[in-house]
């Protein structure tokens, strides 16, 4: 009798286990999914992710500060930047480089990527200055001085936003400059001046400010200057669309705008 009962109990246990197994499997799927969701969201439901942002070279210093502030305010999110000339960033986007957002130093470059980006938002503006060596040893005072034959001037290449702006303002003032070199981005121009390989160059005002005394800036009057606009947009190939959109939106927030103002950028 005890053998029969034992067999019945064993059979019942097997049936119970068989019934519970699918439920357990569902429970595991839900549990894993819930954990995955939590690891990708912070309190309030905003997405978390490891973001890659392609950004214009002139944003190098300020975006390092902005990125740290964003990560602090969004635990679990990491922002990695790739800084280059806007034209180089555009080439990367067209080649399908893995990234989540893009910030260029001009609207023309961004407009050329409409098929690859979300709707762009201008987050800041900038203007050009003449960068000289520490102490301005060649006594450069105005744009016309850049035409002096004994002055070594370096400019960004024409396809680079700051190179295009430079060409625009020099042509408008009928100043003919034969640069000793044409660089791939604005930071390369500044570096040539800092190292004494050039006497002067045209860069953004914020670049001279970030030089920390290694270079000086000669202001260009508003009527002779150009204004650079910095649009930011998400990339359609991003694997973290919500997180990328959240970061781009944050760039227009009061916190981000203060960081940009403190670095010398102008309001959008």
């Amino acid at each position: 009798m005890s053998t029969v009962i034992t067999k019945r109990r064993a059979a019942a246990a097997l049936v119970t286990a068989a019934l519970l197994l699918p439920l357990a499997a569902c429970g595991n799927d839900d549990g894993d999914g819930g954990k995955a969701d939590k690891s990708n969201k912070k309190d309030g439901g905003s997405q978390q992710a490891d973001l890659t942002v392609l950004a214009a070279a002139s944003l190098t210093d300020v975006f390092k500060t902005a990125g740290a502030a964003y990560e602090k305010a969004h635990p679990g999110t990491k922002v990695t930047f790739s800084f280059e000339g806007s034209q180089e960033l555009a080439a990367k986007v067209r080649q399908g480089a893995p990234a989540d957002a893009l910030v260029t130093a001009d609207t023309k470059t961004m407009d050329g990527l409409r098929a690859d980006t979300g709707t762009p938002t201008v987050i800041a503006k900038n203007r050009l200055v003449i960068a000289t060596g520490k102490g301005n040893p060649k006594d450069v005072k105005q744009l016309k001085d850049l035409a002096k034959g004994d002055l070594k001037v370096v400019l960004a290449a024409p396809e680079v936003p700051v190179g295009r702006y430079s060409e625009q303002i020099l042509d408008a003032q009928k100043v003919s400059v034969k640069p000793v070199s044409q660089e791939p981005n604005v930071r390369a121009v500044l570096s040539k001046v800092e190292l004494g390989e050039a006497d002067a160059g045209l860069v953004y005002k914020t670049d001279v400010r970030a030089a920390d005394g290694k270079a000086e800036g000669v202001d260009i009057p508003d009527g002779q200057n150009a204004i650079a606009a910095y649009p930011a947009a998400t990339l359609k190939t991003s694997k973290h669309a919500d997180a990328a959109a959240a970061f781009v939106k944050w760039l227009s927030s009061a916190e981000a705008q203060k960081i940009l103002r403190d670095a010398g950028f102008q309001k959008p």
Side-chain angles (χ1 to χ4, degrees):
M1 185 70 175
S2 60
T3 301
V4 174
I5 293 173
T6 300
K7 288 182 178 180
R8 288 178 177 173
R9 288 178 177 174
L14 288 172
V15 172
T16 301
L19 291 171
L20 290 176
L21 185 58
L23 295 176
C26 291
N28 287 337
D29 286 344
D30 290 342
D32 290 344
K35 290 179 181 177
D37 288 342
K38 289 178 181 177
S39 67
N40 289 322
K41 295 180 181 180
K42 72 184 289 292
D43 292 340
S46 63
Q47 294 291 318
Q48 292 182 338
D50 288 347
L51 296 177
T52 297
V53 179
L54 306 179
S58 51
L59 293 166
T60 299
D61 299 279
V62 69
F63 263 20
K64 288 178 180 177
T65 301
Y70 189 78
E71 290 177 354
K72 183 177 180 180
H74 301 78
T77 294
K78 179 176 174 57
V79 185
T80 300
F81 296 102
S82 177
F83 298 106
E84 291 182 274
S86 295
Q87 81 290 348
E88 294 173 311
L89 300 177
K92 282 188 173 183
V93 172
R94 293 190 181 100
Q95 292 165 6
D100 303 289
L102 171 70
V103 188
T104 62
D106 67 333
T107 55
K108 181 177 180 179
T109 300
M110 185 67 80
D111 288 345
L113 297 169
R114 289 178 181 174
D116 303 290
T117 70
T119 303
T121 301
V122 174
I123 62 163
K125 290 184 178 179
N126 213 340
R127 62 183 57 217
L128 274 63
V129 297
I130 303 171
T132 72
K134 188 176 181 179
N136 193 3
K138 295 291 185 176
D139 195 29
V140 177
K141 296 179 180 178
Q142 57 185 335
L143 281 174
K144 291 183 178 180
D145 291 341
L146 299 182
K148 292 180 180 178
D150 63 342
L151 200 70
K152 293 186 294 183
V153 179
V154 61
L155 299 174
E159 61 269 20
V160 184
V162 71
R164 192 161 53 249
Y165 293 135
S166 298
E167 192 174 70
Q168 174 187 327
I169 64 176
L170 289 171
D171 287 348
Q173 298 303 310
K174 295 180 171 53
V175 178
S176 179
V177 175
K178 295 182 179 179
V180 295
S181 69
Q182 292 183 312
E183 301 300 319
N185 60 66
V186 70
R187 285 306 173 93
V189 174
L190 183 66
S191 178
K192 291 280 187 180
V193 175
E194 289 177 332
L195 295 172
E197 297 177 14
D199 300 314
L202 288 172
V203 301
Y204 297 118
K205 186 173 184 177
T206 53
D207 293 301
V208 170
R209 184 165 180 168
D212 197 24
K214 296 178 182 177
E216 294 188 12
V218 177
D219 288 336
I220 301 171
D222 289 348
Q224 300 176 13
N225 215 329
I227 302 298
Y230 290 76
T234 58
L235 292 175
K236 291 182 180 179
T237 54
S238 171
K239 294 182 179 179
H240 313 288
D242 290 344
F247 177 75
V248 169
K249 183 178 180 180
W250 178 83
L251 289 173
S252 295
S253 70
E255 180 183 13
Q257 288 297 303
K258 184 179 186 306
I259 293 172
L260 287 162
R261 294 298 87 69
D262 289 346
F265 288 85
Q266 299 175 341
K267 293 180 180 180

